[in-house]
Amino acid sequence: MKLLVYPPAFGELNGSPFCVKALALLQMSGLDFETEIIDDPRKQPKGKLPVLHDEGTVIPDSSLIRVHLEQKYGLDFDAGLDPRQKAESHAIVRMLEEGLYFLIVA
């Protein structure tokens, strides 16, 4: 597997919280992967990063990468949570990703 990400920025692992999320998911998965730094994502499926290449399948977007890893490899990143906690977790993640992202890039 290969994960395409932006270069490190601001003294951090990556300048994009979505790339950091995808990197964390892959590290938590225990699966072998490599990263490739991309400066210009315009040629990628959604024109942004991260993008995961997995055995001929191209998965753009950190949320879709999570779904792919869970479905293909039988992973459960919410193991130990009951259905209500999973729903609350999903709602909080979506709220933070959609709401705070624009504060970061502004």
Side-chain angles (χ1 to χ4, degrees):
M1 272 189 286
K2 183 184 291 187
L3 182 67
L4 308 181
V5 295
Y6 294 106
F10 314 114
E12 299 296 331
L13 176 67
N14 198 281
S16 164
F18 301 105
C19 288
V20 172
K21 175 184 171 184
L23 285 162
L25 289 168
L26 282 164
Q27 289 172 348
M28 289 168 47
S29 76
L31 299 168
D32 290 329
F33 72 97
E34 59 184 68
T35 57
E36 182 177 335
I37 304 296
I38 303 291
D39 288 323
D40 184 359
R42 289 180 290 183
K43 293 182 180 178
Q44 300 308 313
K46 291 187 173 188
K48 60 183 182 177
L49 298 173
V51 173
L52 180 67
H53 290 260
D54 185 11
E55 297 180 344
T57 303
V58 178
I59 305 100
D61 189 81
S62 61
S63 294
L64 296 176
I65 290 170
R66 177 183 174 150
V67 170
H68 172 78
L69 294 173
E70 289 177 331
Q71 290 178 349
K72 182 172 182 180
Y73 297 101
L75 301 170
D76 183 1
F77 293 107
D78 290 331
L81 299 181
D82 64 37
R84 179 181 175 158
Q85 291 169 325
K86 287 181 181 185
E88 290 170 344
S89 171
H90 179 76
I92 291 167
V93 167
R94 298 303 301 163
M95 179 179 58
L96 291 172
E97 286 182 350
E98 298 298 326
L100 294 181
Y101 171 74
F102 294 102
L103 291 174
I104 293 170
V105 296

